[in-house]
Amino acid sequence: GWHIIKSIIEKTPQVKYKLVIFNTVIADEFVDKYGLHDNIESGQVEVISELKNHVDFVSIISKSKGVLVPSYYPTTGEFVLLESLGMGKPVIAFDSGVHREILKHKKNAMVSSVGNLDNYASNIIEVSNNKDLRSSLSKGALLLYSSLTSVDNLKKNTPF
């Protein structure tokens, strides 16, 4: 889903983004591939790379208003999704794959139909501007994380 990032950024000029990529070489390639130079120069996008460790990454997410998960083919093994939910961060995602099963719009995430970039952008703006919504989504995210990682739930849903 990263191919949509330029469109999403352009549809949300009032939102500031932090693009976190561990390696500078990969970050530079990403910026080139998706044509983000103007967005960086304007200050709308900040690229953060060469993180020393995973704690740096977690620290950045913990300070954010929300986390974009633009996957079109998501799985339950998405570590950014799980970490974001575990930190109580509002997640903005598409209703595909496992997201359709676990993410509930305005309950524990902001969810758009796959390919509906206008709605996805509106969800970003709403999360950015609405503190009460962020608080509500945060509580829902933590509840979802607890249910996904609960040993009792894992036992119930494991066939052996």
Side-chain angles (χ1 to χ4, degrees):
W2 286 112
H3 64 283
I4 66 166
I5 195 68
K6 178 75 171 178
S7 295
I8 293 299
I9 290 169
E10 288 177 353
K11 290 176 182 290
T12 56
Q14 66 277 53
V15 177
K16 302 280 187 202
Y17 293 92
K18 291 188 185 295
L19 181 61
V20 183
I21 300 177
F22 278 89
N23 178 290
T24 300
V25 172
I26 294 170
D28 291 344
E29 290 172 1
F30 187 93
V31 168
D32 288 342
K33 181 176 181 177
Y34 297 110
L36 302 177
H37 294 283
D38 290 344
N39 306 97
I40 292 167
E41 287 174 22
S42 73
Q44 186 184 11
V45 173
E46 176 186 356
V47 177
I48 301 169
S49 60
E50 293 304 326
L51 301 175
K52 292 181 183 70
N53 54 48
H54 190 71
V55 174
D56 290 345
F57 177 72
V58 171
S59 174
I60 292 164
I61 289 178
S62 71
K63 295 173 187 168
S64 70
K65 290 182 179 179
V67 176
L68 304 185
V69 182
S71 302
Y72 278 7
Y73 305 103
T75 68
T76 53
E78 292 177 285
F79 294 113
V80 171
L81 174 65
L82 290 173
E83 288 174 322
S84 299
L85 294 171
M87 287 188 276
K89 290 288 129 185
V91 170
I92 299 103
F94 289 108
D95 67 347
S96 61
V98 72
H99 292 177
R100 184 177 290 124
E101 298 171 31
I102 65 172
L103 299 179
K104 304 301 175 209
H105 187 63
K106 291 196 175 181
K107 301 263 188 246
N108 57 24
M110 297 297 278
V111 185
S112 300
S113 297
V114 172
N116 189 340
L117 302 187
D118 289 333
N119 183 253
Y120 195 87
S122 294
N123 285 341
I124 293 168
I125 293 167
E126 194 170 356
V127 167
S128 181
N129 293 339
N130 188 332
K131 187 176 182 176
D132 292 336
L133 176 63
R134 286 195 306 274
S135 177
S136 173
L137 291 172
S138 178
K139 290 173 188 168
L142 288 168
L143 288 172
L144 175 58
Y145 179 80
S146 293
S147 75
L148 291 172
T149 59
S150 156
V151 172
D152 291 336
N153 283 344
L154 291 173
K155 285 179 186 176
K156 280 191 260 183
N157 295 315
T158 303
F160 44 88

